Amino acid sequence: MTRAPAEPRRAPEPWQALQRAVEGPAQQPDEEPTIRGVLAGLEGVRAAHFGKRMREAVDLLVPLLRDAEALGDSPAVRAARAQLLQIAGSTLTGARQFAAAETALHRALDEAPDRLRAASVITTWTWLLVRQGRFHAARDLAVKWADDTEPRLSRATAEEIAAWGWLLIQGQAAALRDNRGGEAADMLRLARSAAVATGPLGHGDVRIATWAPPRSPTRPLSRAS
């Protein structure tokens, strides 16, 4: 996928610190970080994100991204880094800092230790593409990943089905923006079947969104994951 052109302006505060944490070289932490400390901090970031307390999320993300970068490459560390970067990408997208958001999501996808976490990152990326007005690219990305991750409903876990369902919802919303009404209706029907199979789900360890039977959204949801 080709990158969108970088914005000519610097991000305003409070986003500059997060932009630097995502785009700049990793800084050495003042104290030796631990995976336990990073995971505890991640819970705080998730709580701020779910509560739409974006300034609090930014203040927590900046030092946590630095600490997580210093912890190596075990699956648990990579999973934590991937979600921190995904939430950073979502936050920067909401602030319309698209180049930094794309960098964060590139890094999150690289860090994702499994396809479930990678699919979560992609749902946020589709929202970024729509915010950039790249409706066709958003639809193509969501459809490709939905096709690649389509589960067998009789055997898949609820989280696998929910990840597929979120990709369908994001693809449906992008297709509507791209004037593909019939295709959007087909994806919405499949997403509803996924929701029937799982029932409502709260915030999971991988998702940064709840999951429930979809209505008829007209735009991708910023909380998708």
Side-chain angles (χ1 to χ4, degrees):
M1 180 184 301
T2 58
R3 284 176 172 264
E7 294 85 353
R9 57 188 173 84
R10 293 294 297 170
E13 291 289 359
W15 316 113
Q16 281 186 351
L18 183 56
Q19 184 181 40
R20 288 193 297 269
V22 164
E23 295 182 328
Q27 302 295 315
Q28 283 297 109
D30 296 330
E31 299 180 3
E32 190 72 22
T34 65
I35 181 60
R36 184 175 180 178
V38 167
L39 291 177
L42 175 57
E43 286 307 304
V45 169
R46 284 166 56 89
H49 182 71
F50 300 147
K52 300 183 181 180
R53 302 188 301 274
M54 293 298 101
R55 181 59 184 261
E56 180 182 340
V58 169
D59 290 344
L60 292 170
L61 277 165
V62 171
L64 280 170
L65 286 168
R66 177 199 61 205
D67 289 353
E69 191 68 26
L71 283 176
D73 292 305
S74 72
V77 170
R78 289 181 59 200
R81 267 201 304 263
Q83 191 162 108
L84 288 169
L85 286 161
Q86 182 185 356
I87 294 174
S90 177
T91 301
L92 289 161
T93 298
R96 301 189 65 82
Q97 303 306 318
F98 297 143
E102 191 166 354
T103 297
L105 294 174
H106 264 294
R107 291 181 57 194
L109 192 61
D110 286 343
E111 292 285 359
D114 53 57
R115 288 190 68 79
L116 197 60
R117 287 170 174 80
S120 179
V121 173
I122 291 298
T123 59
T124 302
W125 207 327
T126 58
W127 180 52
L128 166 63
L129 291 170
V130 167
R131 289 293 300 270
Q132 292 173 304
R134 300 164 67 189
F135 306 135
H136 188 75
R139 174 259 175 207
D140 284 353
L141 183 64
V143 167
K144 177 185 182 301
W145 275 79
D147 287 347
D148 289 348
T149 60
E150 182 174 359
R152 293 186 62 177
L153 296 184
S154 60
R155 295 185 180 182
T157 67
E159 289 296 336
E160 289 168 339
I161 297 170
W164 177 63
W166 262 121
L167 289 164
L168 291 166
I169 287 296
Q170 296 297 85
Q172 179 261 354
L176 279 178
R177 292 286 191 92
D178 202 32
N179 297 315
R180 297 170 179 257
E183 191 173 305
D186 289 342
M187 285 190 275
L188 183 61
R189 175 179 52 81
L190 290 172
R192 284 175 172 154
S193 71
V196 168
T198 63
L201 300 175
H203 299 124
D205 292 337
V206 175
R207 287 174 292 106
I208 57 171
T210 57
W211 169 245
R215 300 176 183 175
S216 300
T218 58
R219 61 182 177 83
L221 303 174
S222 63
R223 300 292 169 189
S225 69

